[in-house]
Amino acid sequence: MKTIYFSILLTLLSISIFGQIQKPQDFLSSDFHQERRAILREKMPENSVAVFFSNPIRNRANDVNFKYHQDPNFYYLTGHRQPHALLMIFSEKQSIKGSTFDEVVFVRGRNALAELYDGGRISPSQAVDDLKLEVAFETPEFKNFPIDFSKFDQVLFYDFEDDVRETSEEGDLYDLISQFKQKVNYPDENKLDITPEPQKNNLNTTLLDELLRPMRGIKTEEELDLLRKAVKISALGQAEVMRAMEPGMSELEVQGMHEFIYKKYKAEYEGYPSIVGAGHNGCVLHYIENYKPEIEDGELILMDLGAEYHGYTADVTRTIPVNGKFTKEQKAIYDLVYEAQEAAMSIAKPGVPFSDLYDTTLNIINKGLLDLGVVKSLNAEDLIDPATGRHRYYPHGCCHHIGLDVHDLGEYELLEENMVITIEPGIYIPEGSPCDKKWWNIPVRIEDDYLITKDGIELLSDDAPRKSHEIEELMKEKSAFGQFNLPALEEK
Ligand code: GLY
Ligand code: MN
Ligand code: MN
């Protein structure tokens, strides 16, 4: 008998140990999410309720969906990574269904068959124990949940995008949204006005963003740990690819090397579709086809990729000469972009307007393009492309927050301590541009990630060299990818 008990105990023990080692231990803590909810609650107006929905599942084709990604606000406030869920946060305690609480989550009900395919779902009691939410129910219970939204002065939520599919399962996101709309008398016609008239209803679809923006923009220590990891992984990927790069590789192969390195470091996703463009392709700002079968000797390749580690994403770009050596023209443009980035770095600190960073990079790039003779003057007719209305060669902004989103929620007025931002000037000269042909098909972006500190900035992505001669030096080194040979697909 004793032996049986002992072996049961051992099995239970090994299941629980096994359960623990199956999952990384360095996700954000439930205390982090709980604290975020408490801070949001403090900021909410009196007698209000904030309602959040999980992200929809996105269909790829037929019965195959894209890998699920939680809505960043939902994740920020709960740590819940599963679909079909609803969170309510109340400004004051509510007494409903015999208990008193100021937050409640609805998580998808159990379904043995669905879980056979997709893995275990979190139960309401796990939502309470593991996620530390005060009260939890299964989603089918929302329909008859006795809550009177009309008694609140304000019901805060993000307006709907109308892109949610109905499934056959009761209590899916489609049901939750429909039932919510019914409960709050959501107007029938398409979307609410941006600023709903308070006398008409108590629905407010803009305030949550105003409340969450400053919170999400200032990172806590726990968030910084994850961001630092995501950025380091991405920069190490850039450095390794610099060693491995050779003419004749395909853009997809280069993308694959970066992404393999992310996975090797256990980063789950890419924070956005990877951009790998050689020559002319690098001039397409969000080029994600990465189709070029053979990158040519003499070309530059622009690689804008970011690892997402436990929800937090980096955003790092390097532009390198495929054959290891910049041409004279490539180097001139590269060094100009580098100078612009350095100048923005040198002024970045708390209190400086975000817009100063862009203005600094723009002034240097304009002056440099004029000195090099790429533009004839700094008049609008030489600098602005009439087709796009943008700067002909530097057509994008230079800085944004990163975090749970690559273009993260945050304030864009003044820099503040513990913001994490990019500085990413670029010059792109597509074929056919009104300048000497020798400049054509030169795309350069240098993008790094920075923590704003008490009195300056910390460069987080310094594992990947930025200076042109340092890149050339590193490209002389060998990479393990050089030994990675596979059989040909077709007999030659
Ligand atoms: N990777 C997108 C961006 O740089 O903003
Ligand atoms: Mn960026
Ligand atoms: Mn980028």
Side-chain angles (χ1 to χ4, degrees):
M1 195 62 175
K2 251 190 185 157
T3 337
I4 294 174
Y5 279 137
F6 188 63
S7 73
I8 290 174
L9 190 70
L10 257 187
T11 312
L12 286 175
L13 207 64
S14 67
I15 287 170
S16 79
I17 291 168
F18 191 61
Q20 280 186 7
I21 54 172
Q22 291 274 295
K23 190 176 141 232
Q25 297 299 300
D26 56 341
F27 279 100
L28 291 170
S29 68
S30 51
D31 289 345
F32 167 87
H33 301 292
Q34 193 175 41
E35 189 188 29
R36 299 290 100 191
R37 296 194 296 278
I39 294 173
L40 176 63
R41 187 176 297 114
E42 275 294 299
K43 291 157 72 123
M44 285 165 55
E46 265 179 36
N47 195 30
S48 64
V49 53
V51 185
F52 296 89
F53 294 86
S54 58
N55 249 356
I57 294 173
R58 308 279 178 194
N59 184 256
R60 186 170 193 277
N62 191 19
D63 59 349
V64 175
N65 296 323
F66 285 103
K67 193 169 172 181
Y68 185 68
H69 195 267
Q70 186 56 282
D71 169 71
N73 282 329
F74 203 98
Y75 183 68
Y76 187 71
L77 294 167
T78 63
H80 186 47
R81 294 196 302 279
Q82 297 182 359
H84 304 293
L86 184 158
L87 169 72
M88 284 192 273
I89 299 176
F90 303 98
S91 53
E92 292 86 18
K93 291 272 182 200
Q94 309 291 311
S95 290
I96 303 175
K97 279 190 134 186
S99 42
T100 303
F101 50 85
D102 56 17
E103 60 189 25
V104 54
V105 72
F106 291 81
V107 294
R108 193 155 53 155
R110 308 302 299 265
N111 178 323
L113 181 59
E115 290 181 52
L116 175 68
Y117 281 88
D118 300 329
R121 297 177 179 183
I122 191 168
S123 65
S125 63
Q126 281 171 303
V128 171
D129 294 344
D130 300 349
L131 303 179
K132 291 211 183 133
L133 278 141
E134 217 178 352
V135 179
F137 298 97
E138 291 193 351
T139 51
E141 295 184 67
F142 181 63
K143 188 174 178 192
N144 296 319
F145 192 68
I147 178 167
D148 175 8
F149 283 103
S150 71
K151 73 168 202 177
F152 294 100
D153 290 340
Q154 296 199 58
V155 178
L156 316 175
F157 60 102
Y158 281 86
D159 213 350
F160 301 104
E161 298 293 341
D162 291 335
D163 63 349
V164 178
R165 284 188 161 206
E166 191 169 10
T167 72
S168 58
E169 210 174 309
E170 195 195 344
D172 65 6
L173 184 64
Y174 189 91
D175 285 351
L176 293 173
I177 291 176
S178 316
Q179 289 155 8
F180 172 76
K181 283 181 169 175
Q182 227 174 21
K183 284 174 193 273
V184 299
N185 287 322
Y186 185 87
D188 285 340
E189 71 276 5
N190 303 321
K191 293 179 96 138
L192 292 171
D193 291 341
I194 298 284
T195 44
E197 295 168 47
Q199 65 271 28
K200 261 198 189 164
N201 59 46
N202 61 351
L203 308 183
N204 186 330
T205 57
T206 56
L207 186 62
L208 270 188
D209 196 66
E210 289 170 34
L211 302 182
L212 281 164
R213 188 170 286 277
M215 288 174 68
R216 294 258 315 264
I218 306 293
K219 270 54 182 188
T220 68
E221 279 306 314
E222 272 193 53
E223 291 179 288
L224 287 176
D225 284 348
L226 298 179
L227 264 171
R228 280 179 193 282
K229 253 187 202 159
V231 174
K232 190 170 183 74
I233 291 168
S234 309
L236 288 170
Q238 292 280 2
E240 193 58 32
V241 171
M242 287 181 194
R243 296 184 184 97
M245 180 67 63
E246 275 174 27
M249 287 178 163
S250 72
E251 289 173 344
L252 286 172
E253 184 178 359
V254 174
Q255 172 187 351
M257 289 192 286
H258 285 275
E259 293 177 5
F260 172 78
I261 292 165
Y262 296 174
K263 300 285 189 279
K264 182 89 177 154
Y265 285 115
K266 302 181 182 63
E268 301 93 319
Y269 297 97
E270 296 81 54
Y272 51 94
S274 300
I275 299 167
V276 178
H280 175 82
N281 295 345
C283 296
V284 180
L285 298 180
H286 287 172
Y287 170 77
I288 56 174
E289 282 79 10
N290 307 342
Y291 261 159
K292 188 162 185 162
E294 283 188 26
I295 301 166
E296 291 162 45
D297 202 338
E299 284 186 318
L300 287 181
I301 185 164
L302 185 154
M303 307 177 292
D304 180 345
L305 308 93
E308 183 180 303
Y309 189 85
H310 298 1
Y312 285 80
T313 184
D315 186 6
V316 179
T317 307
R318 287 294 180 268
T319 310
I320 65 173
V322 170
N323 63 12
K325 185 97 188 118
F326 288 95
T327 65
K328 187 164 153 249
E329 284 76 24
Q330 289 169 349
K331 183 166 159 30
I333 298 296
Y334 186 94
D335 289 346
L336 179 54
V337 176
Y338 175 82
E339 187 191 337
Q341 194 193 38
E342 281 282 308
M345 285 167 63
S346 72
I347 63 159
K349 63 177 181 190
V352 169
F354 251 87
S355 55
D356 280 10
L357 301 180
Y358 174 72
D359 293 345
T360 302
T361 59
L362 181 67
N363 287 337
I364 290 188
I365 284 176
N366 279 347
K367 181 176 176 309
L369 289 174
L370 186 65
D371 291 347
L372 292 170
V374 178
V375 295
K376 292 191 201 81
S377 79
L378 298 186
N379 299 329
E381 63 265 27
D382 284 315
L383 281 186
I384 307 298
D385 178 357
T388 62
R390 295 277 182 94
H391 192 292
R392 197 178 276 286
Y393 302 118
Y394 180 19
H396 58 71
C398 90
C399 307
H400 58 83
H401 293 268
I402 55 169
L404 285 170
D405 281 315
V406 64
H407 298 155
D408 207 30
L409 210 55
E411 300 282 15
Y412 280 88
E413 297 298 322
L414 301 180
L415 295 175
E416 289 178 56
E417 188 178 357
N418 290 334
M419 285 178 168
V420 181
I421 65 161
T422 66
I423 303 181
E424 50 175 307
I427 296 176
Y428 315 84
I429 315 181
E431 193 168 327
S433 297
C435 59
D436 193 312
K437 275 184 176 175
K438 69 181 180 182
W439 303 109
W440 288 2
N441 291 330
I442 296 185
V444 175
R445 177 159 67 252
I446 310 175
E447 175 171 29
D448 283 274
D449 301 339
Y450 305 86
L451 170 65
I452 307 296
T453 60
K454 200 157 159 276
D455 48 15
I457 54 167
E458 180 188 340
L459 171 61
L460 304 179
S461 38
D462 59 353
D463 285 286
R466 295 185 301 127
K467 289 193 173 112
S468 51
H469 71 89
E470 287 174 0
I471 289 173
E472 288 178 341
E473 277 311 301
L474 187 64
M475 289 186 76
K476 290 178 188 158
E477 292 182 14
K478 295 257 175 289
S479 163
F481 282 115
Q483 313 301 315
F484 191 67
N485 296 318
L486 295 170
L489 283 183
E490 288 160 26
E491 294 289 327
K492 288 253 164 103

